Amino acid sequence: MKYEMPEINLKALFLGDKGENVDLFKELLLKMVDEHVGWRQNYMPQDLPVITPQDRSSKDFQETADHMRSVFNVLSSKLRTHSLPWHSAGRFWGHMNSETLMPAIIAYTAAMLWNGNNVAYESSPGTSQMEEEVGHEFAALMSYKKGESWGHICADGSIANIEGLWYARNMKSLPLAIKEVAPEFVEGKSEWELLNMSTEEILEILDQIPEQIDEIKTHSARSGKNLQKLGKWLIPQTKHYSWLKAADIIGVGLDCVEQIDVDDNYRMDITKLEEKIRDLAADQIPVLGVVGVIGTTEEGQVDRIDKMVELREKLAKEGIYFYLHVDAAYGGYARSIFLDENNEFIEWDQIDEVYAKHNIFTEKCEWLTRDVYESFKAMSQAETITIDPHKMGYIPYSAGGIVIKDIRMRDVISYFATYVFEKGADIPALLGAYILEGSKAGATAAAVWTAHKVLPLNVTGYGKLIGASIEGAYRFYDFLSNKEFKVGDKTIHVYPLTKPDFNMVDYVFNEEGNTDLEKMNKLNHDFFDQASYVKGGLCNNEFITSHTDFATPDYGNSPLPFVKSLGFSEGEWDREGKVTVLRACALSPYAHDKEVFEEYAVKLEKAIQCKLKTIYNETK
Amino acid sequence: MKYEMPEINLKALFLGDKGENVDLFKELLLKMVDEHVGWRQNYMPQDLPVITPQDRSSKDFQETADHMRSVFNVLSSKLRTHSLPWHSAGRFWGHMNSETLMPAIIAYTAAMLWNGNNVAYESSPGTSQMEEEVGHEFAALMSYKKGESWGHICADGSIANIEGLWYARNMKSLPLAIKEVAPEFVEGKSEWELLNMSTEEILEILDQIPEQIDEIKTHSARSGKNLQKLGKWLIPQTKHYSWLKAADIIGVGLDCVEQIDVDDNYRMDITKLEEKIRDLAADQIPVLGVVGVIGTTEEGQVDRIDKMVELREKLAKEGIYFYLHVDAAYGGYARSIFLDENNEFIEWDQIDEVYAKHNIFTEKCEWLTRDVYESFKAMSQAETITIDPHKMGYIPYSAGGIVIKDIRMRDVISYFATYVFEKGADIPALLGAYILEGSKAGATAAAVWTAHKVLPLNVTGYGKLIGASIEGAYRFYDFLSNKEFKVGDKTIHVYPLTKPDFNMVDYVFNEEGNTDLEKMNKLNHDFFDQASYVKGGLCNNEFITSHTDFATPDYGNSPLPFVKSLGFSEGEWDREGKVTVLRACALSPYAHDKEVFEEYAVKLEKAIQCKLKTIYNETK
């Protein structure tokens, strides 16, 4: 591509909330269909079409086509009746979804016509190359070393997290296996020491004995042995439920999972993490790994990865080591807002200048703190990172991803099958032997690859889009803060949960003077019902949001400071044991615009007012 | 849909090997795009478009659009340069891929515009309903009882197999958990007896103590306990490598996997299976489960599921029980050729009549044997079945699936998360809590749903398409059988591996008089190189096939009878330890047609001749 990368106008990259870009969409879609058909015609042009004009005129052909047309009428009706208006520029403030990138949709469709299966290079050379390229782009996004790191696309974040835990489990078990197969390399080490070797140390031993790797793997956790020796998997209270599922599936079990309390900002409490690790160490229980979250599912908060890395370095001096996995399913792409056009992590003191140069925000945005900056920066120290293109990559479902810091780890979990394995290629000939899944759509790789080519993973591309979503979130956050509504003689206030670390805004409604937590929870649950499919409808709903419960079994007393700040007593919290929170993922690529937002703000205020009125009338 | 289902003409359902149906394709594609855009415009029509005409005329918009156009030029070029011509009506006889159903491609694209995420009903009501419907269609396809069974879509067959093993592991561990939590329900049972309880018995106990289920689950294998007590996982030698990966991931470990030899037809040897189970029982080692394969990956063969079920019934009388999982990733959809228009399994003595009525084959086909018939029939007795829409469902990658016989098993592996769980719905409010994956494309469900509506899963729909592929395979099989080629003074014969149980044809070339197995293997490997991307190119390759090695570490001596039948000594086999086989999945929806096939047969013969000549010239 021999042209200057232009200043990106995000409005050219989406179909548009009213389908404004439908002509551009069809132009590119039909171009790709035509070029595909041209290719079919020109593969062996001497072969005549097998579907003849006579076939196409036949009665059963026509009837079959009409049958198919009828099915499409049903499909279209169902989709239009039962889908959510994510695309809205300013009315959808709910689940983690939005318009997706036009280039990704079209690339997916185009590549689907070729139906590559990226399980094996042989059956999908083009899209396998694209996936490999995407993997290296992910690695660059994380500031992993070029040539020493790797990544790939997977079905979704749950699968990536399972794979991360699989890596951690098998890595952690290797020293025990080395002791069985090549004991001279770990001579004199106690079991405790073996279970606290760093990933780096382990890989360096394996480098010295390549011919024994297969046997060592045979003795590793993949054998089924030693799973219960590997220690605890530490996750924040804010964890996604899939982490429990992952521990179940991987066989280390739920009993090995321990939750670490979060602080007032819903970030893992690093002091508590250190205490926990030391307590375990005192009982000679190792730590299988620690999960830091970049963009918690319910709050969008950012764990202090930098503090986790610091802690790891400190503990290493005392002979304690833990594997670090970052679950950045949600926030992974946001690291692009920290990379300059050369993919270098921007210095703290230059960041405003760079943002100004690349028009990252339209106005001054209160978002970025040093904490968040340092957390993102430290991601480069994690062994594995989950990143979902179908979240902040604005790629259609489903597209997950995982990145590994040290490509040598790949061999620790790999398998082979002869029919798809050819030696000598840079790109895995059989990707399925290195990852959790088998068959996978080449189309997903094409969609992600195309999106990355249109929007590079730095401030010139995705950074702008991420910036737009954050700015939109802050507009919504500012809109809600100190807002009040009158319904009859009641005054209802809105309270955001916390200053957002990213682009999610959690908030609650509460009636003035109410000290009954159950009542507040009911109000917010009722509001959700009105602002969702449950009672509010979809196609005719003027404001849509989502909700969540922070309940003691998961969150312990972490929500207490917030609950108390609203005027509830500790006793109320103990009695109710949960707080129902409304939850807005602000992904719209349009709502950062001041004029757009202000236009919608008036409509949102009315819609909220109307919903509150309905609720109070219903409860009368 | 108020119209008679027509006699399906398969030619109306594919884009066509030369894009013959491109007009119909575009008609439906654009209809769906237009109807989607109409929906966007009519959600809150009072909201004005945010992308204005002025925006679209601006310099940076135009430059961004041109940048995107340039990226699409690169994408199109890459796809056309590095993709495989699956679509060819008669030249592609390789990997398990082909043209996919036009309705599935268009439905996927359409639904992608709405971007539903089937992880939760709330975020995808329309496509979640479709997935639920598809699950019940899968269950009906397997003759599972209506209302008591369930199924869902997943990423691929590997994920479905992992999920099947996850089910088996957690089910098998439940009696030990019941003994801990509610011992009165398993009073007097020894550990051996606990580990040999049937799935039915276990579920009936759970039915009696619903309030204790959560605690029992906490004590089950999900805790991480008892994984090494659950016994052996028995798979056929022909297994897909992903079974090893599955045992690794699920934590039972590779050490628990044992391979059972296959017979001359590459089906699991049931006598050996019985011996193995009895040997294990003698050592008080239980069987975690047995995997039967419907459509082995390398041979397309069909394990005797009926004999496995028979054996299970026999052993049950001796207090031995095993879980049965059928890996029908490949062959699952083929069960539709055994179901009449009312989805009843057709009686053996009526099958020819039904096939004649529904034009299943164009000519008498030698395919169906009683063995194969009974194997398919007995699938209804398995606990879980893997079925891949992206294989014989002719759905684009990636779309896998799993079906469970007893819906109560679903609760054995389920999790919950508050933010997506609403009580009272028939359809899981949070599908992600019941399955291995989390986020998943609603578009996949729309694609499979639409395909099933166009082609019902019985002889009126998919049965015809499956029949066409089998008939095509038999034409290729007959074409190869007794074929010989002359290159210089050499005569090269072709030998099919076995009579196909399904639509895969494995075959080898061998030089007349050659008794050197290594030489034959080299010939076939060289042939693969010529008939694939390796040396033969893609867009200009006149005949494409795939290959596999049957080597002793996987296959033991099972290939020996075939190898001997070609005139090699047992010593040769022992020396070389493998046989390289060419492998043709016959999925073309066109090659069953006699005229079409015969036209291509002439071309194939020339192309093969030409490739052999190249090989012999190169080796000179």
Side-chain angles (χ1 to χ4, degrees), chain A residues 255-306:
Chain A
D255 292 356
C256 98
V257 179
E258 301 226 8
Q259 296 188 184
I260 307 297
D261 288 356
V262 294
D263 63 20
D264 293 3
N265 286 312
Y266 292 82
R267 303 170 182 162
M268 188 193 277
D269 186 323
I270 303 296
T271 313
K272 297 248 169 95
L273 173 64
E274 181 170 353
E275 275 170 29
K276 170 59 73 178
I277 295 174
R278 290 189 184 282
D279 285 352
L280 291 169
D283 295 335
Q284 291 276 295
I285 298 170
V287 176
L288 171 54
V290 173
V291 175
V293 183
I294 295 283
T296 58
T297 310
E298 309 292 341
E299 308 84 3
Q301 294 304 87
V302 171
D303 279 336
R304 296 296 304 268
I305 310 299
D306 54 324

Coordinates of all heavy atoms in Angstrom, one line a residue, chain A residues 255-306:
Chain A
D255 N -11.6 -25.5 44.2 CA -10.9 -25.4 45.5 C -9.6 -24.6 45.4 O -9.1 -24.2 46.5 CB -10.8 -26.8 46.1 CG -12.1 -27.4 46.4 OD1 -13.2 -26.7 46.3 OD2 -12.1 -28.6 46.9
C256 N -9.0 -24.5 44.3 CA -7.7 -23.8 44.2 C -7.9 -22.3 43.9 O -6.9 -21.6 43.8 CB -6.8 -24.5 43.1 SG -6.8 -23.7 41.5
V257 N -9.1 -21.9 43.7 CA -9.3 -20.5 43.3 C -9.6 -19.7 44.6 O -10.4 -20.1 45.5 CB -10.6 -20.3 42.4 CG1 -10.8 -18.9 42.1 CG2 -10.4 -21.1 41.1
E258 N -8.8 -18.6 44.8 CA -9.1 -17.7 45.9 C -9.3 -16.3 45.4 O -8.6 -15.8 44.5 CB -8.0 -17.8 46.9 CG -7.8 -19.2 47.5 CD -7.6 -19.2 49.0 OE1 -7.8 -18.2 49.6 OE2 -7.3 -20.3 49.5
Q259 N -10.3 -15.7 46.0 CA -10.6 -14.3 45.6 C -9.9 -13.3 46.5 O -9.8 -13.5 47.7 CB -12.1 -14.0 45.7 CG -12.9 -14.9 44.8 CD -14.3 -14.4 44.8 OE1 -15.2 -15.1 44.1 NE2 -14.7 -13.4 45.5
I260 N -9.3 -12.3 45.8 CA -8.7 -11.2 46.6 C -9.6 -10.0 46.6 O -10.2 -9.6 45.6 CB -7.4 -10.8 46.0 CG1 -6.5 -12.0 45.7 CG2 -6.6 -9.7 46.8 CD1 -6.0 -12.8 47.0
D261 N -9.8 -9.4 47.8 CA -10.7 -8.3 47.9 C -10.3 -7.1 47.0 O -9.1 -7.0 46.7 CB -10.7 -7.7 49.3 CG -11.4 -8.6 50.3 OD1 -12.0 -9.6 49.9 OD2 -11.3 -8.3 51.5
V262 N -11.3 -6.3 46.6 CA -10.9 -5.1 45.8 C -11.0 -3.9 46.7 O -11.6 -3.9 47.8 CB -11.9 -5.0 44.6 CG1 -11.7 -6.1 43.6 CG2 -13.4 -4.9 45.0
D263 N -10.4 -2.8 46.3 CA -10.4 -1.6 47.0 C -11.7 -0.7 46.6 O -12.5 -1.2 45.9 CB -9.1 -0.8 46.9 CG -8.9 -0.4 45.4 OD1 -9.8 -0.3 44.6 OD2 -7.7 -0.1 45.1
D264 N -11.7 0.5 47.1 CA -12.9 1.3 46.8 C -13.1 1.6 45.4 O -14.1 2.0 44.9 CB -12.7 2.7 47.5 CG -12.8 2.6 49.1 OD1 -12.9 1.4 49.5 OD2 -12.7 3.6 49.7
N265 N -12.0 1.5 44.6 CA -12.1 1.7 43.2 C -12.3 0.4 42.4 O -12.2 0.4 41.2 CB -10.8 2.4 42.7 CG -10.7 3.8 43.1 OD1 -11.6 4.6 42.9 ND2 -9.5 4.2 43.6
Y266 N -12.7 -0.6 43.1 CA -13.0 -1.9 42.5 C -11.7 -2.5 41.7 O -11.9 -3.1 40.7 CB -14.2 -1.8 41.6 CG -15.4 -1.6 42.4 CD1 -15.8 -0.3 42.9 CD2 -16.2 -2.7 42.9 CE1 -16.8 -0.1 43.7 CE2 -17.3 -2.5 43.7 CZ -17.6 -1.2 44.1 OH -18.7 -1.0 45.0
R267 N -10.6 -2.1 42.3 CA -9.3 -2.7 41.8 C -8.8 -3.7 42.8 O -9.0 -3.5 44.0 CB -8.3 -1.7 41.5 CG -8.7 -0.5 40.6 CD -7.7 0.6 40.7 NE -8.0 1.7 39.8 CZ -7.4 2.9 40.0 NH1 -6.5 3.1 41.0 NH2 -7.8 3.9 39.2
M268 N -8.1 -4.7 42.4 CA -7.6 -5.7 43.4 C -6.8 -5.0 44.4 O -5.9 -4.2 44.1 CB -6.8 -6.8 42.7 CG -6.4 -7.9 43.7 SD -5.1 -9.0 43.0 CE -6.0 -10.1 42.0
D269 N -7.0 -5.3 45.7 CA -6.2 -4.7 46.8 C -4.9 -5.4 46.9 O -4.8 -6.5 47.2 CB -7.0 -4.9 48.1 CG -6.4 -4.1 49.2 OD1 -5.2 -4.1 49.3 OD2 -7.2 -3.6 50.1
I270 N -3.8 -4.7 46.5 CA -2.5 -5.3 46.4 C -2.0 -5.7 47.8 O -1.2 -6.7 47.9 CB -1.5 -4.4 45.6 CG1 -2.1 -4.0 44.2 CG2 -0.2 -5.0 45.5 CD1 -2.2 -5.2 43.3
T271 N -2.3 -4.9 48.8 CA -1.9 -5.3 50.1 C -2.5 -6.6 50.5 O -1.8 -7.5 51.1 CB -2.3 -4.2 51.1 OG1 -2.0 -2.9 50.6 CG2 -1.7 -4.4 52.5
K272 N -3.7 -6.8 50.2 CA -4.4 -8.1 50.5 C -3.8 -9.2 49.7 O -3.7 -10.3 50.2 CB -5.9 -8.0 50.2 CG -6.6 -6.9 51.1 CD -7.6 -7.6 52.1 CE -8.1 -6.6 53.1 NZ -9.4 -6.0 52.8
L273 N -3.4 -8.9 48.5 CA -2.8 -9.9 47.6 C -1.5 -10.4 48.2 O -1.2 -11.6 48.4 CB -2.5 -9.3 46.2 CG -1.7 -10.2 45.2 CD1 -2.5 -11.5 44.9 CD2 -1.4 -9.5 44.0
E274 N -0.7 -9.4 48.7 CA 0.6 -9.8 49.3 C 0.4 -10.6 50.6 O 1.0 -11.6 50.8 CB 1.4 -8.5 49.6 CG 2.7 -8.8 50.2 CD 3.7 -7.6 50.3 OE1 3.4 -6.6 49.8 OE2 4.8 -7.8 50.9
E275 N -0.6 -10.2 51.4 CA -0.9 -10.9 52.6 C -1.3 -12.3 52.3 O -0.8 -13.3 52.9 CB -2.1 -10.3 53.3 CG -1.7 -9.1 54.2 CD -3.0 -8.4 54.7 OE1 -4.1 -9.0 54.8 OE2 -2.9 -7.2 55.0
K276 N -2.1 -12.5 51.3 CA -2.6 -13.8 50.9 C -1.4 -14.7 50.5 O -1.3 -15.8 50.9 CB -3.6 -13.7 49.8 CG -4.1 -15.0 49.1 CD -4.6 -16.0 50.1 CE -6.0 -15.7 50.6 NZ -6.6 -16.7 51.5
I277 N -0.6 -14.1 49.6 CA 0.6 -14.9 49.1 C 1.5 -15.3 50.3 O 2.0 -16.5 50.4 CB 1.3 -14.2 48.0 CG1 0.4 -13.9 46.8 CG2 2.6 -14.9 47.6 CD1 1.0 -13.1 45.7
R278 N 1.7 -14.4 51.2 CA 2.6 -14.7 52.3 C 1.9 -15.7 53.3 O 2.6 -16.6 53.8 CB 2.9 -13.4 53.1 CG 3.8 -12.5 52.3 CD 4.4 -11.4 53.2 NE 5.2 -10.5 52.4 CZ 6.4 -10.7 52.0 NH1 7.0 -11.8 52.4 NH2 7.1 -9.9 51.3
D279 N 0.6 -15.6 53.5 CA -0.1 -16.6 54.3 C 0.1 -18.0 53.7 O 0.3 -19.0 54.4 CB -1.6 -16.3 54.4 CG -1.8 -15.1 55.4 OD1 -0.8 -14.7 56.0 OD2 -3.0 -14.6 55.4
L280 N -0.1 -18.1 52.4 CA 0.0 -19.4 51.7 C 1.4 -19.9 51.8 O 1.6 -21.1 52.1 CB -0.4 -19.2 50.2 CG -1.9 -18.9 49.9 CD1 -2.1 -18.5 48.5 CD2 -2.7 -20.2 50.3
A281 N 2.4 -19.0 51.6 CA 3.8 -19.4 51.6 C 4.1 -20.0 53.0 O 4.9 -21.0 53.1 CB 4.7 -18.2 51.3
A282 N 3.5 -19.4 54.0 CA 3.8 -19.8 55.4 C 3.3 -21.3 55.6 O 3.9 -22.1 56.3 CB 3.1 -18.9 56.4
D283 N 2.3 -21.6 54.8 CA 1.8 -23.0 54.8 C 2.4 -23.9 53.7 O 1.9 -25.0 53.4 CB 0.3 -23.1 54.7 CG -0.4 -22.4 55.9 OD1 0.2 -22.4 56.9 OD2 -1.5 -21.9 55.7
Q284 N 3.4 -23.3 53.0 CA 4.1 -24.0 51.9 C 3.1 -24.3 50.8 O 3.3 -25.3 50.1 CB 4.8 -25.3 52.4 CG 6.0 -25.1 53.3 CD 7.2 -24.8 52.5 OE1 7.7 -25.7 51.8 NE2 7.8 -23.6 52.7
I285 N 2.2 -23.4 50.6 CA 1.3 -23.6 49.4 C 1.7 -22.6 48.4 O 1.7 -21.4 48.6 CB -0.2 -23.3 49.9 CG1 -0.6 -24.3 50.9 CG2 -1.1 -23.3 48.6 CD1 -2.0 -24.0 51.6
P286 N 2.1 -23.1 47.2 CA 2.5 -22.1 46.2 C 1.3 -21.4 45.5 O 0.2 -21.7 45.7 CB 3.2 -23.0 45.2 CG 2.7 -24.4 45.4 CD 2.2 -24.5 46.8
V287 N 1.7 -20.4 44.7 CA 0.7 -19.7 43.9 C 0.8 -20.1 42.5 O 1.9 -19.9 41.8 CB 0.9 -18.2 44.1 CG1 -0.1 -17.4 43.2 CG2 0.6 -17.8 45.6
L288 N -0.2 -20.7 42.0 CA -0.2 -21.2 40.6 C -0.2 -19.9 39.7 O 0.5 -19.9 38.7 CB -1.5 -22.0 40.3 CG -1.9 -22.3 38.9 CD1 -0.7 -23.1 38.2 CD2 -3.1 -23.2 38.9
G289 N -0.9 -18.9 40.0 CA -0.9 -17.7 39.2 C -1.8 -16.6 39.8 O -2.6 -16.9 40.7
V290 N -1.6 -15.4 39.3 CA -2.4 -14.3 39.7 C -3.0 -13.7 38.4 O -2.4 -13.6 37.4 CB -1.6 -13.2 40.4 CG1 -2.4 -11.9 40.7 CG2 -1.0 -13.7 41.7
V291 N -4.3 -13.4 38.5 CA -5.0 -12.7 37.4 C -5.2 -11.3 37.7 O -5.9 -10.9 38.7 CB -6.4 -13.4 37.1 CG1 -7.1 -12.7 36.0 CG2 -6.2 -14.9 36.8
G292 N -4.7 -10.4 36.8 CA -5.1 -9.0 36.9 C -6.0 -8.7 35.8 O -5.9 -9.3 34.7
V293 N -7.0 -7.8 36.0 CA -8.0 -7.5 35.0 C -7.9 -6.1 34.5 O -7.8 -5.2 35.3 CB -9.4 -7.8 35.6 CG1 -10.5 -7.6 34.6 CG2 -9.5 -9.2 36.2
I294 N -7.9 -6.0 33.2 CA -7.9 -4.7 32.6 C -9.2 -4.5 32.0 O -9.6 -5.0 30.9 CB -6.8 -4.6 31.5 CG1 -5.4 -4.7 32.1 CG2 -6.9 -3.3 30.7 CD1 -4.8 -3.4 32.7
G295 N -10.1 -3.8 32.8 CA -11.5 -3.6 32.3 C -12.3 -4.7 33.0 O -12.7 -5.7 32.3
T296 N -12.7 -4.5 34.2 CA -13.5 -5.5 34.9 C -14.9 -5.6 34.2 O -15.4 -4.5 33.7 CB -13.7 -5.3 36.4 OG1 -14.2 -4.0 36.6 CG2 -12.3 -5.3 37.1
T297 N -15.5 -6.8 34.2 CA -16.7 -7.0 33.4 C -17.9 -6.1 33.9 O -18.7 -5.6 33.1 CB -17.2 -8.4 33.6 OG1 -16.1 -9.2 33.3 CG2 -18.3 -8.8 32.6
E298 N -18.0 -5.9 35.2 CA -19.1 -5.2 35.8 C -18.9 -3.7 36.0 O -19.8 -2.9 36.2 CB -19.5 -5.8 37.1 CG -19.7 -7.3 37.1 CD -20.9 -7.8 36.2 OE1 -21.8 -6.9 36.0 OE2 -21.0 -8.9 35.8
E299 N -17.6 -3.3 36.1 CA -17.3 -1.9 36.5 C -16.3 -1.2 35.5 O -16.2 0.0 35.5 CB -16.6 -1.9 37.9 CG -17.3 -2.6 39.0 CD -17.0 -4.1 39.0 OE1 -16.2 -4.5 38.2 OE2 -17.6 -4.8 39.9
G300 N -15.7 -2.0 34.6 CA -14.7 -1.5 33.7 C -13.5 -1.0 34.4 O -12.7 -0.2 33.8
Q301 N -13.2 -1.4 35.6 CA -12.0 -0.9 36.3 C -10.7 -1.6 35.9 O -10.8 -2.7 35.3 CB -12.3 -1.0 37.8 CG -13.4 0.0 38.3 CD -13.2 1.4 37.9 OE1 -13.6 1.8 36.8 NE2 -12.6 2.2 38.8
V302 N -9.6 -1.0 36.2 CA -8.3 -1.5 35.8 C -7.5 -1.8 37.0 O -7.1 -1.0 37.8 CB -7.7 -0.3 34.9 CG1 -6.2 -0.7 34.6 CG2 -8.4 -0.1 33.6
D303 N -7.1 -3.1 37.1 CA -6.3 -3.6 38.2 C -4.9 -3.0 38.1 O -4.4 -2.7 37.0 CB -6.2 -5.1 38.2 CG -7.4 -5.7 38.9 OD1 -8.1 -5.0 39.7 OD2 -7.7 -6.9 38.6
R304 N -4.2 -2.8 39.2 CA -2.9 -2.3 39.2 C -1.8 -3.3 38.8 O -1.1 -3.9 39.6 CB -2.5 -1.7 40.6 CG -3.4 -0.5 41.0 CD -3.2 0.7 40.1 NE -1.9 1.2 40.0 CZ -1.3 2.1 40.7 NH1 -2.1 2.7 41.6 NH2 -0.1 2.5 40.6
I305 N -1.7 -3.5 37.5 CA -0.8 -4.5 37.0 C 0.6 -4.2 37.4 O 1.4 -5.0 37.7 CB -0.9 -4.7 35.5 CG1 -2.3 -4.8 35.0 CG2 0.0 -5.8 35.0 CD1 -3.0 -6.1 35.5
D306 N 0.9 -2.9 37.4 CA 2.3 -2.4 37.8 C 2.6 -2.8 39.2 O 3.7 -3.3 39.5 CB 2.4 -0.9 37.6 CG 1.3 -0.1 38.4 OD1 0.2 -0.6 38.4 OD2 1.6 1.0 38.9

